[in-house]
Amino acid sequence: MKGIRLMTAAALTALLATAAGCSDDNDGVSPGDSIFQQYEVTVFPEGNKAAFANFRLGSATGERVELTDGSWLMINAMTCYYQEPTSPTVPEFNYSMVIPANHEEAIFTFRRSKDVELVNSVKLGDEKFVTLPEDIKTVANGERIPIGLGDIAPGTVEVKLYDVSHQTLGIIDSYPATVFADFCVFDNVPAGTYTLAADVVTVAPTTQNDGTAGGTITKRARVTRQDIKVN
């Protein structure tokens, strides 16, 4: 089971009220470290957008680090909220922020040191969304749930049920469906009330990297349905 960011835009806005500015004049990340940049953006059909980031030592599997001593991250020239990790995987992302609905790009500016800024971006507004039934209220294990993909490749689609009332080690419990060309099927989901989410996922490499560490920008075009019952 994997956690995911189901935080609403309103909740993220409240968190941003506590975000600290980046005014440290020190010289940033140690020259001996290479930092992997892990960025993600979630976009909803109604125009809400949220961005997330981690910074890792050396590679995608490296230890997560906080940007201090004059290093920082800004997204679309705005300060991010930082959440201290409580384990290697919780929260899933250390940095988060709401992107204004009228922004057509997510621009991640990583100030590595006073002499080095790495800028990576992803276009917004061209997303394709999965069509879910508007009136869906229940899901049964083994049942075919119709979904509309159009020309979206099934391999880029993730459909999951999230138990937002229950967490394991701080991560929201989730159950993935098997996705086919025009339907999906859940299996072994316990009885309960869930949020149904369908994501179209695209991943691109970062173009401005810290040495050989590399990076990724993931974009999720997400459609949700609330209060889905599994009996």
Side-chain angles (χ1 to χ4, degrees):
M1 296 181 289
K2 297 182 179 180
I4 199 163
R5 297 138 316 282
L6 292 178
M7 188 179 296
T8 65
L12 271 174
T13 300
L15 288 174
L16 284 172
T18 66
C22 303
S23 58
D24 199 322
D25 292 328
N26 294 329
D27 197 25
V29 178
S30 170
D33 294 332
S34 293
I35 303 299
F36 182 93
Q37 301 165 80
Q38 181 185 0
Y39 301 131
E40 188 157 313
V41 181
T42 302
V43 181
F44 297 88
E46 61 272 21
N48 293 331
K49 309 175 181 75
F52 308 89
N54 284 322
F55 295 90
R56 299 181 179 273
L57 285 176
S59 71
T61 58
E63 179 184 356
R64 292 192 286 180
V65 296
E66 181 180 1
L67 302 180
T68 60
D69 300 323
S71 62
W72 43 253
L73 169 70
M74 298 191 83
I75 303 175
N76 293 12
M78 295 178 288
T79 303
C80 300
Y81 171 77
Y82 176 78
Q83 185 175 357
E84 191 74 28
T86 58
S87 80
T89 57
V90 178
E92 186 175 1
F93 286 90
N94 293 137
Y95 292 86
S96 59
M97 69 162 291
V98 172
I99 298 177
N102 64 344
H103 286 210
E104 298 178 351
E105 194 172 16
I107 304 171
F108 299 87
T109 302
F110 166 33
R111 184 186 192 268
R112 191 195 189 286
S113 68
K114 63 183 179 181
D115 299 319
V116 178
E117 287 188 3
L118 304 174
V119 181
N120 291 276
S121 63
V122 61
K123 182 180 178 182
L124 306 175
D126 59 352
E127 296 79 27
K128 297 179 180 180
F129 294 92
V130 172
T131 301
L132 293 175
E134 290 288 345
D135 58 350
I136 187 169
K137 298 297 181 183
T138 62
V139 167
N141 287 304
E143 173 191 11
R144 289 190 175 192
I145 301 168
I147 56 175
L149 300 187
D151 60 355
I152 300 169
T156 66
V157 175
E158 296 178 1
V159 181
K160 295 183 181 182
L161 286 168
Y162 292 93
D163 185 356
V164 296
S165 65
H166 189 270
Q167 301 182 20
T168 301
L169 299 176
I171 300 178
I172 296 173
D173 290 353
S174 66
Y175 302 87
T178 302
V179 178
F180 299 91
D182 56 0
F183 66 91
C184 66
V185 178
F186 286 97
D187 191 24
N188 296 320
V189 180
T193 302
Y194 296 84
T195 294
L196 175 65
D199 291 359
V200 180
V201 184
T202 56
V203 182
T206 49
T207 56
Q208 292 194 7
N209 297 315
D210 184 27
T212 59
T216 56
I217 303 179
T218 300
K219 182 164 66 167
R220 294 179 177 272
R222 173 169 297 167
V223 177
T224 62
R225 297 288 183 268
Q226 308 297 323
D227 299 323
I228 303 300
K229 304 291 185 182
V230 177
N231 298 319

